[in-house]
């Protein structure tokens, strides 16, 4: 009896520990990974295209998208200080500051467009304006005579259905003249800033970036795959031009290192030019362009974050592919970068002798993504689809590596099909770590082997031929039709012609797809049963091998629509979710986890039995669960619209309570935007780590849940 009382006292001390919030009887704290800030008024934007730095160190960064509406972010001294108004859900690529105003080259809603709130998308493809808008330096609209949009602050070049290809991609000003790269029309427009009237145009093929020297000389980048192609690192290198007398366009051959792909041009002085590199070098180049151009300084580690000895690892001068650079009046250097799959990295440096010391960094490295804990780390190391994070002693998280190398592995589906490779599971097979990824829609179950800090493409189970929407990439030699299994037979991380094998599996729409802890692959058809591809070990290159012909069995009662499978091989327990005849999905919601969770014991034996059935919350159009996860003695589901996580005892299926974002993240979350956006890990202490996608303000939520079953002690 005394032993039991002591245990109860210890339990009370644990659950009453400072910092734990309480919701529905559950004790937990909320943290996050993937963003420098937790939310509320402060978050770093989802993406960045270019960067403008003013003499006082204010940084402006435009983006073609930010879920919460920071399509142009304003930053200073390592802090968020603002955003542009009236930009949400359109986005842009170019921004310039001068003469007391900021000018943003973007696309905007017409006066007759329906209002779209932050965190929501337009329900149809609207007609838009494409041009340049005028703003105050703190992001307020500045109307002018003849201006378009409801705010009358845009000079529109054209009207057309929403299309990023038509967005002007750069702007630069000296205060009196504004130059805009109208990329789609192969021209640069010269605009009078006082009247906002077009003065003339300069013909140039596909201008994408602009720079003005202190003497008014215009330089530009032409071509090279920017805008909608900004993350295609195999796109051709852009050409560098300057505009001479009579608007004559002159090609410049600057002494850039081999393989360089210029992504921005910025003048430091009349004869000093900064060039950033989005190619394999990932460096910043300072050139003297007087008479005979020559290199003055190269800033950053060659190879950036993909350099040896630890490819993928984060470091101050280990840059991701760069989008911009500039100096303030004090000589501080600022760089902006975008990791593969998108994101924002902004760093500031000061010179110390011949070296550069980082002063501060702001990041947003996650969007439509979820983390999962490395099972050997006790919840201290987590992976997303392309990131690696470490938990700090205070419970916060640090970005430690980028696992996608677009230069070494150009066929990596994570960069070509990010929406299909964002739901991360971590698996340990024969002592090695693997990522298993599926996404916003199913169709591809991708498998990646961890080599140091890089996740190398290893295998993929595909429901049919794979290609991008634009049709600019597809795996070499893939079958023209039918399901297939790809294995990296030679271990080079590329999808080669002789590495595909036809297989079976669910046809049409399906949502159940995952890898279990022993490496078997599972998929379920909505009404056609369950398929299982058995893991047959690793080959000499560490690539998983599978039985090509899967096991198949009919869908068990009581389901009429199977939506998730989660098999636990250690206990031979299967969890299935979906809908039943007596509890149907009636609101038309797609891809949900359904309305019912069932546990089956002795799944692989003739003694298989239904252990319990649990009905999870569902109200048509309002409350519907989109993800399911199980670990230890719990299972969890998460609601799409509220992002509330419901927690259940997986021994009997009874509810234990629910979690919602805590004050650490201002109580905020957007909708859960993809189908496998929830992960659950039991820690050695008996507590749980719960990871949930949060793309509204670009991060992943992490709940530390005190074990809700710890109080249920048996009498000794």
């Amino acid at each position: 009896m005394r032993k039991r009382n002591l245990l109860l006292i210890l339990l009370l001390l644990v659950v009453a520990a400072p910092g734990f919030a309480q919701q529905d009887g559950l004790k937990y704290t909320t943290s996050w990974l993937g963003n420098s800030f937790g939310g509320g008024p402060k978050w770093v934007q989802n993406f960045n295209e270019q960067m403008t730095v003013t003499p006082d160190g204010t940084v402006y960064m435009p983006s073609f998208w930010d879920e919460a509406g920071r399509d142009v972010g304003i930053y200073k001294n390592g802090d968020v200080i603002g955003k542009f108004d009236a930009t949400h859900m359109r986005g842009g690529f170019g921004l310039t500051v001068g003469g007391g105003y900021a000018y943003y080259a973007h696309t905007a809603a017409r006066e007759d467009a329906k209002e779209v709130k932050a965190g929501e998308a337009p329900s149809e493809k609207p007609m838009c304006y494409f041009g340049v808008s005028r703003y105050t330096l703190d992001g307020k609209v500045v109307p002018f005579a003849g201006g378009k949009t409801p705010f009358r602050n845009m000079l529109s070049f054209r009207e057309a259905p929403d299309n990023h290809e038509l967005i002007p991609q750069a702007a630069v000003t000296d205060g009196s003249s504004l130059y805009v790269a109208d990329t789609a029309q192969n021209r640069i427009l010269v605009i009078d800033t006082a009247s906002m009237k077009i003065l003339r145009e300069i013909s140039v093929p596909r201008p994408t970036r602009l720079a003005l020297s202190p003497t008014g000389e215009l330089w530009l980048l032409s071509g090279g795959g920017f805008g909608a192609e900004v993350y295609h690192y195999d796109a051709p290198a852009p050409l560098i031009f300057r505009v001479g007398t009579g608007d004559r366009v002159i090609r410049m051959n600057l002494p850039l290192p081999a393989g360089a792909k210029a992504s921005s041009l910025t003048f430091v002085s009349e004869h000093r030019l900064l060039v950033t590199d989005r190619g394999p070098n990932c460096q910043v180049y300072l050139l003297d362009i007087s008479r005979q151009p020559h290199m003055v300084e190269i800033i950053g580690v060659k190879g950036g974050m993909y350099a040896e000895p630890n490819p993928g690892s984060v470091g101050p001068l280990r840059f991701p592919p760069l989008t911009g650079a500039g100096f303030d009046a004090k000589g501080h250097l600022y760089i902006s970068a975008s990791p593969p799959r998108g994101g924002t990295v902004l760093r500031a440096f000061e010179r110390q002798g011949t070296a550069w010391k980082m002063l501060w960094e702001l990041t947003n490295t996650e969007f439509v993504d979820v983390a999962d804990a490395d099972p050997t780390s006790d919840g201290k190391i987590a992976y997303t689809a392309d990131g690696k994070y470490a938990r700090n002693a205070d419970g916060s998280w640090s970005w430690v590596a980028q696992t996608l190398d677009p230069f070494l592995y150009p066929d990596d589906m994570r960069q070509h099909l990010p929406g299909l490779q964002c739901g991360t599971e971590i698996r340990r097979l024969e002592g090695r770590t693997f990522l298993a990824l599926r996404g916003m829609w199913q169709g591809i179950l991708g498998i990646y082997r961890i080599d140091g800090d890089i996740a190398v493409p290893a295998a993929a189970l595909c429901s049919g031929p794979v290609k991008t929407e634009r049709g600019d990439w597809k795996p070499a030699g893939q079958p023209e039709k039918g399901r297939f299994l790809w294995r990296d037979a030679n271990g080079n991380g590329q999808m080669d012609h002789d590495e595909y094998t036809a297989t079976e599996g669910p046809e049409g729409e399906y949502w159940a797809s995952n890898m279990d802890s022993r490496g078997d692959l599972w998929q379920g058809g909505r009404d056609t049963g369950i398929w299982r591809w058995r893991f047959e070990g690793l080959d000499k290159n560490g690539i998983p091998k599978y039985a090509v012909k899967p096991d198949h069995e009919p869908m068990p009662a009581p389901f009429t629509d199977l939506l998730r499978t989660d098999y636990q091989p250690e206990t031979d327990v299967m969890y299935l979710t979906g809908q039943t005849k007596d509890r149907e999905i009636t609101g038309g919601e797609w891809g949900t986890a359904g309305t019912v969770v069932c546990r089956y014991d002795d799944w692989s034996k003739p003694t298989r039995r239904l252990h319990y059935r649990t009905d999870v919350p569902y109200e048509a159009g309002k409350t519907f669960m989109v993800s399911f996860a199980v670990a230890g003695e719990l299972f969890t589901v998460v609601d799409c619209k509220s992002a509330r996580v419901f927690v259940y005892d997986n021994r009997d299926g009874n509810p234990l309570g629910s979690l919602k974002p805590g004050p650490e993240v201002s109580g905020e979350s957007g909708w859960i935007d993809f189908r496998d956006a929830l992960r659950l890990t039991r820690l050695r202490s008996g507590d749980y780590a719960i990871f949930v996608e949060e793309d509204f303000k670009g991060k992943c939520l992490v709940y530390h849940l005190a074990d809700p079953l710890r109080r249920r002690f048996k009498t000794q």
Side-chain angles (χ1 to χ4, degrees):
M1 188 67 182
R2 291 178 60 191
K3 179 180 179 182
R4 185 176 182 226
N5 288 341
L6 178 60
L7 288 172
L8 288 171
I9 291 170
L10 290 173
L11 170 65
L12 290 172
L13 289 173
V14 170
V15 299
F20 275 89
Q22 183 166 339
Q23 171 75 24
D24 292 350
L26 301 179
K27 311 282 186 178
Y28 66 95
T29 59
T30 309
S31 61
W32 73 92
L33 57 82
N35 203 302
S36 295
F37 301 98
K42 293 186 179 182
W43 74 96
V44 179
Q45 65 202 61
N46 294 149
F47 302 97
N48 80 95
E49 314 305 319
Q50 300 175 51
M51 179 185 66
T52 296
V53 183
T54 62
D56 71 350
T58 302
V59 177
Y60 296 84
M61 300 177 71
S63 170
F64 73 86
W65 182 266
D66 181 73
E67 190 84 5
R70 199 180 297 280
D71 299 307
V72 177
I74 310 174
Y75 307 91
K76 189 174 183 180
N77 295 328
D79 201 0
V80 177
I81 63 170
K83 66 182 182 69
F84 277 28
D85 293 342
T87 62
H88 184 56
M89 292 299 165
R90 297 279 70 87
F93 298 108
L95 185 138
T96 185
V97 175
Y101 294 111
Y103 300 91
Y104 180 35
H106 66 127
T107 179
R110 293 197 318 183
E111 291 84 353
D112 58 355
K114 296 179 181 178
E115 182 182 359
V116 179
K117 297 179 181 179
E120 298 181 4
S123 58
E124 56 188 21
K125 195 169 187 176
M127 290 290 291
C128 294
Y129 294 126
F130 298 84
V132 61
S133 295
R134 188 167 69 180
Y135 286 84
T136 63
L137 297 184
D138 60 354
K140 307 301 180 184
V141 297
V142 180
F144 54 85
K148 297 292 187 179
T149 79
F151 308 98
R152 299 184 295 109
N153 72 321
M154 173 182 263
L155 172 61
S156 175
F157 304 159
R158 68 187 68 86
E159 296 180 39
D162 193 12
N163 181 355
H164 284 163
E165 295 285 337
L166 300 180
I167 302 174
Q169 301 219 354
V172 67
T173 186
D174 59 8
S176 60
S177 294
L178 170 65
Y179 301 82
V180 179
D182 188 8
T183 313
Q185 295 298 313
N186 298 306
R187 62 183 182 172
I188 296 171
L189 296 177
V190 185
I191 300 163
D192 175 57
T193 57
S195 65
M196 290 301 288
K197 302 291 186 184
I198 297 173
L199 300 176
R200 69 184 195 276
E201 63 180 68
I202 304 168
S203 295
V204 61
R206 196 168 167 75
T208 57
R209 298 293 183 265
L210 303 176
L212 271 178
S213 75
T215 59
E217 189 172 63
L218 180 65
W219 287 56
L220 62 109
L221 295 179
S222 171
F226 285 93
E229 302 172 341
V230 71
Y231 307 118
H232 290 205
Y233 299 99
D234 56 349
L239 302 177
I240 301 175
F241 294 90
R242 66 179 177 87
V243 178
T245 304
D247 288 344
R248 186 167 63 96
V249 178
I250 305 164
R251 180 174 175 179
M252 304 301 295
N253 293 309
L254 299 182
L256 300 179
K261 293 186 177 181
S263 55
S264 75
L265 306 173
T266 306
F267 276 91
V268 179
S269 63
E270 180 181 354
H271 300 301
R272 293 290 174 97
L273 181 69
L274 271 182
V275 180
T276 57
D277 188 352
R278 67 180 177 89
N281 297 324
C282 295
Q283 292 175 299
V284 180
Y285 310 123
L286 178 61
L287 296 110
D288 187 316
I289 57 171
S290 60
R291 296 188 180 181
Q292 185 65 37
H294 60 276
M295 188 72 70
V296 174
E297 183 178 9
I298 296 178
I299 304 168
V301 175
K302 185 176 182 179
M305 66 190 314
Y306 304 107
E308 297 287 354
N310 301 114
S313 63
V314 171
L317 292 169
R318 296 172 60 86
F319 301 143
L322 290 148
T323 59
F327 286 96
D328 65 15
K330 295 181 178 179
H332 297 140
L333 171 68
Y334 301 79
I335 69 96
S336 60
S338 182
R341 295 181 78 242
T344 293
V345 176
L346 175 60
R347 294 173 183 163
F349 298 85
E350 69 175 1
R351 188 184 288 279
Q352 294 190 344
T354 59
W356 290 96
K357 177 186 177 182
M358 189 169 77
L359 298 175
W360 50 262
E361 175 186 55
L362 297 178
T363 61
N364 177 340
T365 50
E366 298 301 332
F367 179 64
V368 189
D369 216 339
V370 69
D372 194 17
D374 184 325
T376 66
S377 72
D378 193 30
K380 295 178 181 178
I381 298 293
Y383 289 87
T384 61
D386 62 341
K388 180 180 178 182
Y389 298 85
R391 183 163 60 87
N392 302 314
D394 63 359
S396 64
W397 292 81
S398 294
W399 181 41
V400 297
Q402 171 76 20
T403 69
L404 194 167
D405 185 336
F407 308 113
L408 191 58
Y409 302 108
D411 277 344
D412 193 321
M413 288 191 288
R414 290 177 293 175
Q415 67 169 318
H416 298 291
L417 304 166
L420 297 178
Q421 299 287 272
C422 54
T424 307
E425 287 179 315
I426 308 302
R427 296 291 182 246
R428 293 281 292 181
L429 306 177
E430 298 183 7
R432 301 188 185 187
T433 305
F434 291 82
L435 309 184
L437 307 181
R438 65 270 197 193
M440 186 172 287
W441 305 272
Q442 304 301 354
I444 302 172
L445 178 56
I447 301 166
Y448 303 78
R449 60 182 175 89
I450 299 295
D451 181 8
D453 280 330
I454 299 296
V456 183
L461 181 59
C462 301
S463 61
V466 177
K467 65 178 181 179
T468 60
E469 280 188 30
R470 295 164 53 86
D472 52 1
W473 175 86
K474 62 181 180 180
Q478 70 173 343
E480 294 184 2
K481 62 180 180 179
R483 297 179 63 92
F484 64 84
L485 177 66
W486 169 74
R487 286 188 63 254
D488 183 25
N490 59 13
N492 68 355
Q494 314 299 342
M495 302 183 80
D496 297 321
H497 287 75
D498 57 352
E499 296 179 334
Y500 305 90
T501 306
T503 188
E504 303 169 16
E507 301 294 337
E509 180 183 291
Y510 67 95
W511 295 101
S513 181
N514 71 298
M515 175 192 282
D516 70 30
S517 60
R518 291 187 181 173
D520 288 1
L521 307 182
W522 296 81
Q523 291 187 340
R526 295 194 63 178
D527 58 4
T528 54
I530 302 171
W531 283 261
R532 178 187 194 179
W533 290 261
R534 293 184 181 268
F535 173 64
E536 295 182 337
L538 304 179
D539 68 14
K540 64 180 181 180
N541 295 313
I543 308 300
K545 297 183 292 184
Y546 291 97
V548 173
K549 184 173 178 57
D551 302 335
H552 175 253
E553 62 177 284
M555 182 167 57
F559 291 102
T560 57
D561 186 357
L562 181 62
L563 294 168
R564 300 291 187 278
T565 63
D566 200 319
Y567 178 63
Q568 306 286 304
E570 297 82 3
T571 55
D572 196 24
V573 170
M574 172 67 86
Y575 297 87
L576 300 179
T577 81
Q579 62 178 315
T580 60
K581 188 175 181 180
D582 63 321
R583 203 154 192 270
E584 295 182 334
I585 298 171
T586 58
E589 298 86 6
W590 58 277
T592 75
T595 60
V596 173
V597 174
C598 288
R599 168 179 166 166
Y600 301 84
D601 293 349
D602 297 331
W603 176 259
S604 64
K605 300 180 178 64
T607 55
R608 176 191 301 179
R609 63 187 180 88
L610 176 62
H611 185 88
Y612 61 74
R613 163 186 163 155
T614 295
D615 293 350
V616 296
Y618 177 74
E619 184 179 358
K622 296 182 179 180
T623 303
F624 45 95
M625 305 300 112
V626 292
S627 299
F628 168 87
V630 59
E633 295 181 324
L634 305 181
F635 78 77
T636 53
V637 291
V638 62
D639 175 44
C640 177
K641 291 189 175 183
S642 70
R644 185 182 293 269
V645 177
F646 294 87
V647 182
Y648 295 81
D649 185 337
N650 74 13
R651 301 172 303 176
D652 54 23
N654 289 326
L656 297 172
S658 65
L659 315 173
K660 63 180 182 179
E664 302 92 336
V665 293
S666 299
E668 292 180 328
S669 176
W671 289 17
I672 306 301
D673 259 3
F674 68 97
R675 306 308 101 189
D676 294 292
L678 174 68
R679 294 290 177 266
L680 177 65
T681 295
R682 188 175 189 181
L683 308 177
R684 294 186 191 122
S685 65
D687 292 351
Y688 290 82
I690 302 174
F691 300 89
V692 192
E693 174 218 20
E694 201 295 277
D695 67 356
F696 182 53
K697 292 184 177 175
K699 57 186 178 293
C700 177
L701 294 179
V702 187
Y703 296 109
H704 183 116
L705 173 64
D707 185 356
L709 301 175
R710 220 181 257 164
R711 63 184 178 277
R712 298 186 177 184
F713 297 105
K714 295 181 180 179
T715 303
Q716 300 298 313

